[in-house]
Amino acid sequence: MVIRDPNTLDLTQQKIRIAEDVMVWPVRERGELVYRIEIPKLHRFFRVGYEEYIFISLLDGKTTIPQACGLAAAKLGNLAPTAAQAGVMARWLLTNELAYLESAGPPVRRLSASAATPTEHRAMKLLGRLNPFWVKIPLPHSERLIKPCARILRPIFAAPAVLMGTALVVVAIALLATRWNEFAVSTASIVHPTNWAWLLGSWVALKIVHEFAHAISCERAGGEVSESGIVLILFAPLAYVDVTSCWRMTSRWSRIAVAAAGMYVDMIIAAAAIVLLAIVDDPQAKFLLNNLVFAAGLSTLLFNANVLMRFDGYFILADLIDVPNLYSEASTSVRRLAKRWVTGEETASSGS
């Protein structure tokens, strides 16, 4: 089958059909109704507004673009997309394999347009990940371990367990406040050059637990972990889990719970270590516990909770303020302000 570039096609008389394996569902964002679209086999997600969805829903393989525009206008009135906007949307659908020309047949779900065997596809996918600064190594069939473990451990995110964990964190904060000088002195050994191996080992182990917490929370909320493994960032090993299925969750509180799960478990571990520090007297035990407090507590606050980096804190904030494309909107606002300050030029806001 010859695949033509959608940008070279005259779509005025073409009949387009939405792919049968595409999933669409409504959600509310910032008080407005929008629709999320997923290609499950590729784990790719998209988002369109209500007016765009109405137009897209009319593409049944029997209706041309002008006919769909007319039907949309009958329902939406002045809010219906124009012919030019409809053409742009149709090309966007075809380019992203969300729809196909009735005359061409449905899209073949694969990693590239070239004809390749499944083994070649896997090899290309692996080569695409080989970046000297970001090497992603997925673990095959990791869901076989995650699913049964998630079923067993899901009670740790039930309300009684969360209340107990929160109480433990409060107790640990009170202990830390009363013994701050003692703790501050003990942290000197943490940054000693001879401790880097212990600290790195603690950090790597905690990141595995951190990511596993995301996986358990995702499964508990009705999502699924499509992939997990190890990623080397500047050759430093870190665990990762793919919980993009959270996008299917219509409740933002469920998505926030999944995003916060890793930090929650980190803080529980740090709190338990602080409580034990107040009890034990063995110097070696105190040394190891100090490592845990530093790796689980401080690193979580500096990195995962940092809303300026696209980690857990960023996604929690995006859902809390109901701005799913927070990064792009913030970048646009910063560029607009910088242009105004540097050149004095007034720029129109995105909402005007």
Side-chain angles (χ1 to χ4, degrees):
M1 179 180 66
V2 178
I3 300 176
R4 296 180 61 187
D5 184 352
N7 294 313
T8 66
L9 295 173
D10 179 8
L11 298 179
T12 54
Q13 298 303 317
Q14 297 286 348
K15 295 179 180 179
I16 299 176
R17 182 189 294 273
I18 299 300
E20 287 79 3
D21 61 343
V22 166
M23 296 175 57
V24 183
W25 67 95
V27 294
R28 289 221 167 252
E29 293 179 359
R30 305 169 80 172
E32 296 183 2
L33 180 64
V34 299
Y35 287 79
R36 289 180 179 170
I37 307 174
E38 180 189 4
I39 306 176
K41 290 182 180 178
L42 302 181
H43 300 291
R44 292 169 60 191
F45 292 83
F46 306 87
R47 171 183 173 275
V48 296
Y50 173 73
E51 292 79 12
E52 291 85 356
Y53 166 75
I54 293 298
F55 169 77
I56 290 172
S57 67
L58 297 169
L59 302 177
D60 56 0
K62 302 176 183 177
T63 307
T64 62
I65 301 296
Q67 290 171 338
C69 283
L71 294 172
K75 185 168 185 177
L76 298 172
N78 294 332
L79 297 178
T82 64
Q85 291 170 335
V88 171
M89 278 190 283
R91 287 185 171 85
W92 176 76
L93 291 168
L94 293 170
T95 300
N96 289 286
E97 299 185 335
L98 295 168
Y100 59 93
L101 297 175
E102 187 68 17
S103 58
V108 178
R109 301 300 184 199
R110 56 193 181 192
L111 298 176
S112 71
S114 61
T117 65
T119 301
E120 291 171 334
H121 280 310
R122 287 193 293 269
M124 285 188 291
K125 191 174 182 180
L126 179 61
L127 287 173
R129 291 181 173 130
L130 292 180
N131 181 316
F133 302 104
W134 181 278
V135 181
K136 204 174 183 182
I137 307 172
L139 299 178
H141 308 299
S142 56
E143 70 281 357
R144 295 178 183 177
L145 171 64
I146 290 174
K147 284 184 178 294
C149 289
R151 283 194 296 267
I152 297 171
L153 298 175
R154 61 188 303 171
I156 66 175
F157 293 110
V162 171
L163 287 174
M164 292 174 61
T166 304
L168 178 63
V169 172
V170 171
V171 170
I173 292 173
L175 283 172
L176 193 61
T178 58
R179 296 168 174 257
W180 178 253
N181 291 334
E182 177 185 341
F183 176 74
V185 171
S186 65
T187 56
S189 62
I190 294 176
V191 295
H192 194 275
T194 59
N195 188 46
W196 286 114
W198 281 103
L199 190 59
L200 178 62
S202 301
W203 190 57
V204 170
L206 285 168
K207 291 303 117 181
I208 294 174
V209 174
H210 176 102
E211 295 302 320
F212 205 70
H214 285 305
I216 295 170
S217 181
C218 182
E219 293 276 349
R220 186 177 187 275
E224 61 184 20
V225 178
S226 58
E227 184 180 280
S228 62
I230 298 171
V231 60
L232 302 177
I233 304 177
L234 293 176
F235 303 105
L238 289 176
Y240 78 91
V241 292
D242 185 347
V243 292
T244 51
S245 62
C246 289
W247 263 64
R248 300 178 195 148
M249 300 175 187
T250 55
S251 168
R252 62 173 172 169
W253 298 110
S254 296
R255 297 192 297 271
I256 289 173
V258 175
M263 290 191 293
Y264 166 74
V265 170
D266 285 345
M267 297 309 295
I268 293 298
I269 293 172
I274 290 171
V275 172
L276 288 174
L277 273 172
I279 298 173
V280 301
D281 295 320
D282 182 64
Q284 185 63 29
K286 283 183 174 290
F287 170 76
L288 295 175
L289 290 170
N290 276 321
N291 275 297
L292 276 180
V293 174
F294 185 85
L298 188 59
S299 67
T300 291
L301 294 175
L302 290 178
F303 297 102
N304 295 106
N306 189 345
V307 298
L308 300 178
M309 304 172 73
R310 299 191 73 175
F311 294 141
D312 302 338
Y314 166 85
F315 293 106
I316 292 172
L317 178 62
D319 264 318
L320 281 174
I321 64 177
D322 214 5
V323 182
N325 52 342
L326 177 60
Y327 177 81
S328 58
E329 289 202 13
S331 299
T332 301
S333 298
V334 169
R335 286 194 297 269
R336 188 185 303 122
L337 287 173
K339 189 174 183 180
R340 180 184 303 172
W341 291 339
V342 173
T343 67
E345 180 182 343
E346 292 290 333
T347 56
S349 65
S350 59
S352 61

